[in-house]
Amino acid sequence: MSQSYTCGETGALVAYLYDECEPELRESIDAHLSQCGSCASEIEGLGRTRRQLGAWTPPVAELGFQMPPPAFDARLPWWRAPLPAWAQAAAATAIFGTGLLIGASGGWAGDGPVAPVSPVSTGASTPASRNDVSLMEKRLRAEMTRLTAAPVSAHTSAVPGEAPSSNDEAIIRRVQELIAESEKGLRTEITLRSVDLARDFETQRRVDLASVRETFGQFQGVTGKEMREQREAINQMTNYVMQVSQQVR
Amino acid sequence: MTRSDEELVARSVSGDADSFNQLIVRWERPIYALAYRVLGHEEDARDVCQDTFLRAYRALPGFKGQAKFSSWLYRIALNLCRDWIRRQRRAPISQIPEDLDPAELVTEAGPAESIEDLVARRELTAIVEQAMQSLSEEQRTAIILKEYHGLTFQEIADMQGCPLSTVKTRLYQGLSMLRRQLERRGQGVAELVKRT
């Protein structure tokens, strides 16, 4: 671009307007504006438009974005990476099931710092099933005592490749029966516990819902009234300001 | 100690997500303002703003620093705005409220600004927004980048993919059109400008 201004050269005028031109060109335009009313008026008008544009402000917005780090997490080794949702759910189920089994076997009852949780409404079936389990435990212990007290020769004869004796077969059968009974008892206990838990959860949910409904109703009554009063006051004030503004104009 | 954009970019690339969050804090307002002025919708502008940072974050390893980080962000935001306008198949129409909500005005007014001044500012904003609608997308974008973000002619030319002389022409024609529109409103606008 030449460093001397020619009248009506719009590109140079814009560069002058935004103060983004060489000093020589600026001097040339300054000299021209003092003589040319048309160009001076043009620059003055465009400058005024720029000032008006300055009033355009975007509305205030709540932003505060935070970047989750997915791209960088991908670099983590597999043992430090977060588990997928299905694996977390499986782990939670396994832990829950184990807890139920421990609870059903009475492992923590009375011999540790954790007190057993008593359901709100257990019904008559639960104590009966507990008795079953404790009876089964006693029987298992008795059987184990009997087996350990049995002659050593019966066990030592069981060498690899040798056919099991009739005594061994009876023991195995008995152990299998006991295991089956034990499993059946535990299954019943788990089912009963699950039903109790579901019932307790539902009862608590209903109580909470009723409480929330009541609280919300009170809150709504108070805030609704206050909001109406405030809105009316603001409306009156704004109407007054608008009226005064129009009278002044 | 305030780190430069370039330093924060380098740290982000090496895996420091907190540095990138600092860049977001620094640039989210200008990017939101750009998107709002181009699109004219608050919610869309917020979405575009968020999307801009998401894309920038993903593309950060490929950012070689040939341009300023801010110019790179502006370019991403403008591309998203362009996509948005095409996808929505609508002209950028600003949200000009039919009536002013007094409650909203009270919460918006700063401690030193009276409600009357605030009303005047809102009216002028609405007038300018309406006038900007009459411009072509290229003219509007050039004016927004120059007026509100202070980019140089060359930076705008790079962003719009056109010669520098075209940028100046767009600016001149856009400003002239706005001038006519605003002068048509005459005395009212002048008073509002004085008040703001």
Side-chain angles (χ1 to χ4, degrees):
Chain A
M1 186 188 286
S2 73
Q3 297 304 301
S4 62
Y5 174 69
T6 311
C7 186
E9 200 182 325
T10 57
L13 277 184
V14 167
Y16 179 87
L17 191 68
Y18 285 105
D19 199 13
E20 208 177 310
C21 60
E22 298 296 322
E24 294 81 10
L25 181 61
R26 170 161 283 277
E27 281 175 20
S28 171
I29 294 174
D30 277 335
H32 178 79
L33 292 179
S34 61
Q35 296 166 357
C36 177
S38 168
C39 286
S41 160
E42 186 74 354
I43 282 288
E44 207 274 317
L46 293 177
R48 193 169 53 244
T49 305
R50 286 193 64 200
R51 284 194 294 281
Q52 289 168 343
L53 290 181
W56 185 21
T57 50
V60 178
E62 290 291 326
L63 299 173
F65 304 130
Q66 285 288 303
M67 197 50 61
F72 300 126
D73 261 7
R75 296 176 190 170
L76 290 172
W78 64 268
W79 66 87
R80 285 184 61 199
L83 285 172
W86 64 265
Q88 290 181 21
T93 311
I95 291 166
F96 180 68
T98 312
L100 276 179
L101 283 173
I102 291 168
S105 64
W108 284 340
D111 57 357
V114 181
V117 178
S118 59
V120 176
S121 56
T122 50
S125 56
T126 312
S129 67
R130 272 195 184 150
N131 288 340
D132 289 347
V133 172
S134 86
L135 277 174
M136 198 173 297
E137 188 184 357
K138 280 178 190 164
R139 282 172 61 190
L140 273 168
R141 286 184 193 284
E143 288 290 335
M144 288 296 289
T145 315
R146 194 173 61 80
L147 287 172
T148 47
V152 180
S153 59
H155 299 285
T156 49
S157 65
V159 289
E162 191 181 340
S165 66
S166 60
N167 191 22
D168 288 344
E169 281 175 2
I171 290 168
I172 290 167
R173 212 168 29 247
R174 183 66 192 141
V175 168
Q176 282 172 343
E177 281 169 13
L178 285 169
I179 289 170
E181 279 180 42
S182 171
E183 281 178 349
K184 191 181 166 192
L186 285 176
R187 250 184 258 125
T188 313
E189 178 69 11
I190 288 169
T191 311
L192 288 169
R193 287 286 181 97
S194 304
V195 170
D196 283 343
L197 273 174
R199 197 185 300 135
D200 291 348
F201 179 79
E202 180 60 24
T203 311
Q204 191 59 44
R205 193 181 69 85
R206 284 184 185 169
V207 170
D208 289 347
L209 265 177
S211 165
V212 166
R213 234 179 259 132
E214 192 184 343
T215 312
F216 188 71
Q218 289 169 356
F219 179 74
Q220 211 172 20
V222 174
T223 53
K225 187 166 172 281
E226 283 177 356
M227 281 293 288
R228 267 198 306 281
E229 285 170 2
Q230 282 179 1
R231 188 166 281 269
E232 278 169 16
I234 291 165
N235 273 333
Q236 284 172 359
M237 190 166 61
T238 310
N239 287 337
Y240 174 73
V241 169
M242 288 290 199
Q243 281 169 7
V244 172
S245 168
Q246 281 164 2
Q247 283 169 6
V248 170
R249 281 183 206 165
Chain B
M1 188 184 103
T2 308
R3 291 199 166 88
S4 69
D5 284 356
E6 287 68 30
E7 284 175 305
L8 290 173
V9 166
R11 293 168 73 94
S12 304
V13 170
S14 62
D16 181 8
D18 187 52
S19 291
F20 194 79
N21 282 328
Q22 287 182 49
L23 286 168
I24 294 178
V25 169
R26 192 174 292 176
W27 287 105
E28 66 181 357
R29 294 270 157 210
I31 294 293
Y32 167 76
L34 172 69
Y36 174 78
R37 288 190 175 107
V38 172
L39 299 174
H41 294 82
E42 282 183 59
E43 297 233 340
D44 294 351
R46 205 177 297 132
D47 288 347
V48 162
C49 183
Q50 193 162 13
D51 213 8
T52 299
F53 287 107
L54 202 60
R55 290 201 180 195
Y57 186 74
R58 285 176 186 152
L60 209 57
F63 175 65
K64 303 296 178 199
Q66 300 96 328
K68 283 196 296 184
F69 176 71
S70 56
S71 302
W72 186 61
L73 269 186
Y74 281 137
R75 190 193 293 266
I76 294 173
L78 280 178
N79 284 337
L80 285 169
C81 286
R82 211 167 292 144
D83 292 348
W84 197 275
I85 290 168
R86 284 192 196 124
R87 200 164 53 242
Q88 301 294 316
R89 293 183 175 279
R90 63 186 177 200
I93 300 165
S94 298
Q95 285 176 318
I96 301 159
E98 289 296 318
D99 54 342
L100 301 173
D101 182 1
E104 198 183 327
L105 286 179
V106 169
T107 53
E108 194 183 322
E113 192 175 27
S114 70
I115 291 184
E116 195 179 4
D117 287 346
L118 183 67
V119 170
R121 184 160 62 83
R122 290 280 294 261
E123 281 180 27
L124 183 59
T125 292
I127 290 168
V128 173
E129 282 185 358
Q130 277 180 337
M132 290 291 276
Q133 286 173 41
S134 62
L135 306 184
S136 71
E137 191 190 321
E138 290 81 12
Q139 288 173 346
R140 191 171 50 247
T141 304
I143 287 178
I144 289 169
L145 290 173
K146 189 68 192 163
E147 284 293 335
Y148 304 103
H149 299 276
L151 269 64
T152 63
F153 295 137
Q154 189 59 57
E155 284 171 332
I156 298 172
D158 291 342
M159 223 165 270
Q160 294 197 316
C162 64
L164 199 134
S165 58
T166 307
V167 172
K168 288 181 181 171
T169 304
R170 283 174 182 168
L171 283 169
Y172 180 77
Q173 290 177 344
L175 280 178
S176 301
M177 200 176 284
L178 286 173
R179 180 187 170 190
R180 281 195 295 276
Q181 298 258 344
L182 295 172
E183 279 179 353
R184 211 173 289 159
R185 302 201 177 232
Q187 194 61 27
V189 173
E191 278 182 18
L192 290 172
V193 170
K194 271 184 207 161
R195 196 167 284 164
T196 55

